[in-house]
Amino acid sequence: MSISEDAYDVIVVGSGGGLVGAYVAASRGLRTLVVEKTDRVGGTVAYSGAGLWFPGSAPLGRAGLGDDVEEARTYLRDVVDDPSREALQDAYLAAGVRLIDELEQNPWFRSFVHGPVPDYYASSPGASPTGHTVFPPPLEVTELGERRALVRDCLPTERFGFDEGPVLVGGRALIGRALSAFLETGNGELRLNTALESLVVENGRVTGVEVVSGGDGDGDGDGDGDGERVRIRAGRGVLLAAGGFERDRELREKHQSPLTGEWSEGAPANTGDALRAGVAVGADTDLLDEAWFVPGLVHPDGLPLFHTGTRGGIWVNGAGERFVNETRPYDQAGHEIVRLHATTGVRHIPAHWVFDQRQLDRDGIGFPPATPGPEQWLASGALKKAGTLEELARLIDVPFEGLKRTVEEFNGYARTGVDERFRRGETPWDRMFHHIVPFPADPRQNIPAKPAPEWPNPLLLPIDTAPFYAAAIVPSDIGTKGGLRIDAQARVLRPDGRPIDGLYATGNTAAAMSGRVYPGAGTPIGSSLAFGYLAVLDMAGTTD
């Protein structure tokens, strides 16, 4: 091993949400290094919409929603229902407000905006029908210049060659802004193709990292190629922000069988390196059986893509029966698939999305225009087509009588507009996300009025117009949510509750402050940014 003569104040492992923490450190004059395992920055954040669930933050105030922190605290307490995480919740709520204020002072970040996404547990006290989620503004590619090549593409681009165009949005916009802000502090350095091997511990304190530099430039995280082993010192601390272990088959089988990771939509290099390194120096872990589960619609390439919900049709299990509100918030629907498959003795993996020609004509399939058209779906076998429900039942291997009974029941709900089994279309999430509320014309933006729906509940179209179709739904995820246990300063804890000096964790490398639930849009990335911010404040020895 060669020993680096260089040393830094702060080392951040991972370049997704941790890139914002790196900016916070470098902007305070701390010499900061970001090591990234692949040849691009962004991790799973680059695949995301970059929502940040930050109650009370300035963008909410600008939207006229006022200071909603206490209502959000009530809501978190109720949905998480875990006193051991209350200190983390309080730290998160305070950090989000302050972090947005700080970021908006930098011209690269500019002003975040509120996006009206309802909280996911509508019946819980404190739940907001307009939500607490803020988003970064879009970013022109020309503003980034050569740095654009460093930002990981979105999933539709990586999977299907979708042309994102001249403007980066969501996660790519956030990462592009954070990268530029970080590098332009004059205190930040980025090393790509540099994988964490282990943590350096001296006298009980983490004082640096051992990495392999230049060993894996293809972004798949398999460590192929010979690289240089290097030890790098960190005077103030090491922040582990390298994602979860969703792409590691061994860890998934150990903690989340039968799931093995091939259906995950986390970044390809998220194989638990930081988790293993932390455990090796005595860190405690929590929630390793958990993930940010989402239903995944299996596409023509044989892999699922995050399916946020179904506006029409139904999902059926191996008995041909519905089992969930198909428009339920995605984490809840994903968890339900996993739970029912494990406990009922009825096959739910895969489940099948059953719909008809009317549904296909209205809404299409997949994520247009980023995914192939119906012809490619049919040719690949990802989409089954039949002239009758009986034929469709044979194609997807479910009992025809069960499917027929289920469809007849659902068609009755379509006529009345009321889903008596699962209440589809009744929550703020259902109504907002699936765009069923008519709106007036807006001549200022040349937007025509949206007509009133043909059916009483546009989320309940009858399934009665041949031909009939079915596609597979499997439990996917946007990352694991279990990891190293941390405190309110993002310090990594030992099993006895004592912090490991010099070691911090955030994002999916750390066990989630929200426990086993997903409170609202932007909780995962919001947590990554908030606890990265708190880690840096602790390293800097300051509260601001």
Side-chain angles (χ1 to χ4, degrees):
M1 171 182 297
S2 61
I3 304 298
S4 172
E5 296 180 358
D6 211 355
Y8 298 82
D9 296 310
V10 174
I11 296 175
V12 178
V13 180
S15 65
L19 200 53
V20 173
Y23 159 73
V24 171
S27 70
R28 283 165 170 73
L30 300 178
R31 192 156 180 262
T32 304
L33 172 68
V34 173
V35 295
E36 164 57 41
K37 186 177 182 179
T38 73
D39 60 350
R40 295 201 192 184
V41 300
T44 305
V45 173
Y47 294 160
S48 75
L52 308 171
W53 196 79
F54 281 164
S57 59
L60 298 176
R62 293 194 293 266
L65 299 178
D67 185 353
D68 52 358
V69 171
E70 291 311 313
E71 287 186 359
R73 194 186 320 275
T74 298
Y75 173 71
L76 267 183
R77 294 287 198 266
D78 185 72
V79 300
V80 177
D81 192 24
D82 183 351
S84 73
R85 299 185 192 281
E86 291 182 359
L88 293 176
Q89 295 165 22
D90 293 342
Y92 172 92
L93 291 170
V97 174
R98 296 169 59 196
L99 176 58
I100 290 295
D101 286 346
E102 181 170 329
L103 295 182
E104 289 191 336
Q105 294 177 30
N106 184 293
W108 270 109
F109 288 103
R110 299 179 187 170
S111 295
F112 289 74
V113 296
H114 170 245
V117 185
D119 288 335
Y120 292 165
Y121 291 85
S123 62
S124 293
S128 169
T130 54
H132 313 275
T133 308
V134 303
F135 296 88
L139 177 62
E140 297 280 348
V141 169
T142 53
E143 291 187 62
L144 277 180
E146 294 181 354
R147 291 175 186 151
R148 170 62 184 92
L150 300 178
V151 178
R152 180 172 289 279
D153 290 325
C154 63
L155 262 179
T157 298
E158 290 189 352
R159 290 268 299 275
F160 312 115
F162 173 62
D163 183 0
E164 194 174 18
V167 179
L168 301 183
V169 298
R172 275 81 61 215
L174 178 62
I175 292 299
R177 293 182 182 283
L179 176 65
S180 296
F182 170 63
L183 294 177
E184 291 182 11
T185 62
N187 296 310
E189 183 180 332
L190 172 67
R191 296 191 192 183
L192 300 174
N193 301 318
T194 301
L196 175 69
E197 283 283 290
S198 61
L199 297 164
V200 178
V201 180
E202 298 175 355
N203 299 318
R205 176 182 174 80
V206 171
T207 58
V209 296
E210 291 182 358
V211 298
V212 175
S213 181
D216 187 6
D218 58 13
D220 64 3
D222 63 7
D224 58 345
D226 295 326
E228 179 188 11
R229 294 182 178 273
V230 178
R231 177 176 293 177
I232 310 171
R233 289 191 168 274
R236 300 292 187 98
V238 174
L239 173 60
L240 300 177
F245 59 91
E246 57 268 18
R247 294 292 192 164
D248 187 88
R249 187 181 187 92
E250 178 185 359
L251 287 171
R252 290 300 290 261
E253 287 182 337
K254 179 178 180 181
H255 299 290
Q256 300 183 7
S257 179
L259 303 179
T260 57
E262 70 268 27
W263 291 335
S264 177
E265 295 170 51
N270 288 0
T271 54
D273 303 349
L275 172 66
R276 287 188 172 94
V279 170
V281 298
D284 194 16
T285 60
D286 193 15
L287 298 174
L288 296 183
D289 60 335
E290 272 289 354
W292 303 98
F293 286 118
V294 300
L297 174 63
V298 178
H299 280 60
D301 63 357
L303 296 173
L305 192 66
F306 184 0
H307 194 59
T308 53
T310 301
R311 295 186 68 221
I314 56 177
W315 296 351
V316 299
N317 58 23
E321 299 171 343
R322 285 181 77 206
F323 56 91
V324 73
N325 169 6
E326 297 87 350
T327 65
R328 190 174 180 179
Y330 42 87
D331 177 72
Q332 297 172 37
H335 269 92
E336 196 70 351
I337 292 171
V338 173
R339 183 186 71 82
L340 292 171
H341 185 77
T343 61
T344 64
V346 176
R347 186 183 75 245
H348 288 76
I349 302 176
H352 296 281
W353 177 22
V354 174
F355 55 96
D356 66 356
Q357 189 64 45
R358 186 205 319 266
Q359 161 71 21
L360 185 63
D361 290 343
R362 188 187 75 170
D363 294 328
I365 187 172
F367 181 32
T371 60
E375 298 79 9
Q376 291 169 275
W377 284 77
L378 290 166
S380 70
L383 184 65
K384 310 292 186 184
K385 179 180 179 180
T388 65
L389 277 177
E390 186 172 10
E391 181 186 356
L392 189 71
R394 287 197 299 270
L395 289 176
I396 62 176
D397 191 25
V398 302
F400 170 58
E401 288 302 319
L403 181 61
K404 177 184 177 183
R405 184 169 56 250
T406 298
V407 169
E408 289 176 348
E409 178 185 73
F410 182 79
N411 288 349
Y413 300 157
R415 288 189 290 271
T416 64
V418 178
D419 178 1
E420 296 178 13
R421 286 202 66 194
F422 297 111
R423 319 311 299 185
R424 182 160 135 194
E426 297 182 11
T427 69
W429 164 263
D430 286 6
R431 298 182 66 80
M432 180 285 305
F433 192 85
H434 304 287
H435 314 295
I436 73 169
V437 180
F439 56 81
D442 186 346
R444 297 169 300 173
Q445 301 184 50
N446 196 30
I447 297 176
K450 183 176 181 180
E454 177 184 0
W455 295 89
N457 182 343
L459 295 184
L460 303 178
L461 293 186
I463 303 172
D464 60 6
T465 306
F468 301 94
Y469 299 90
I473 299 288
V474 298
S476 184
D477 62 73
I478 49 177
T480 49
K481 69 187 305 187
L484 306 177
R485 195 159 64 90
I486 61 173
D487 66 8
Q489 289 77 46
R491 298 179 298 181
V492 174
L493 301 177
R494 303 177 188 276
D496 64 5
R498 293 182 298 118
I500 299 175
D501 289 345
L503 185 61
Y504 303 79
T506 192
N508 289 346
T509 302
M513 70 89 189
S514 57
R516 298 185 181 278
V517 301
Y518 196 149
T523 309
I525 299 176
S527 295
S528 182
L529 269 59
F531 287 103
Y533 175 66
L534 292 168
V536 169
L537 293 185
D538 196 68
M539 289 187 230
T542 182
T543 58
D544 54 30

